[in-house]
Amino acid sequence: MTAYLIADIKVTDGKWVPDYGASVHELVHKHGGKYLSRSGNVKTLEGAPLDTSLIAIMSFPTAKAAESFVADPAYGRFAAARRGGSESRFQLIDDTDLAGTIPYLAKA
């Protein structure tokens, strides 16, 4: 079942960004993932803005693959740099429909 990793990041010190941006996508690919978006063009359409600098959305073949990416020892130094220079949240969702009314999604 496809899983999506959503990274919501508020950069507080951008020193980590160039190395992270140039390198982490290779680790995402190593775990079968791909970026669907990695953008700073964040526009709040409803509700209070979350003060987000960038959002990355990645697709993985399974939740286990996404979790393996985050736990990969090679990712550790990048994660530490990101945490040190940002307020960030990683969320994992699957491709199910909680209401079960969308026919092309599995019911959750």
Side-chain angles (χ1 to χ4, degrees):
M1 177 177 300
T2 303
Y4 301 96
L5 180 61
I6 303 167
D8 182 332
I9 299 170
K10 175 186 174 184
V11 176
T12 56
D13 179 349
K15 292 177 188 170
W16 61 275
V17 174
D19 190 34
Y20 190 101
S23 304
V24 169
H25 65 277
E26 293 174 10
L27 292 169
V28 169
H29 298 157
K30 172 184 168 185
H31 292 279
K34 68 177 182 178
Y35 279 90
L36 302 178
S37 180
R38 184 170 70 175
S39 179
N41 297 320
V42 179
K43 181 179 181 182
T44 301
L45 298 180
E46 185 175 321
L50 295 175
D51 200 19
T52 297
S53 303
L54 67 97
I55 295 176
I57 304 171
M58 295 154 271
S59 171
F60 289 87
T62 64
K64 184 175 179 174
E67 291 165 350
S68 293
F69 155 66
V70 173
D72 189 320
Y75 179 60
R77 73 177 183 92
F78 296 108
R82 174 184 46 78
R83 284 192 218 82
S86 74
E87 296 172 19
S88 54
R89 176 177 48 227
F90 277 25
Q91 298 182 85
L92 184 64
I93 61 171
D94 59 23
D95 62 350
T96 61
D97 173 27
L98 185 61
T101 58
I102 300 173
Y104 53 85
L105 294 176
K107 183 174 178 170

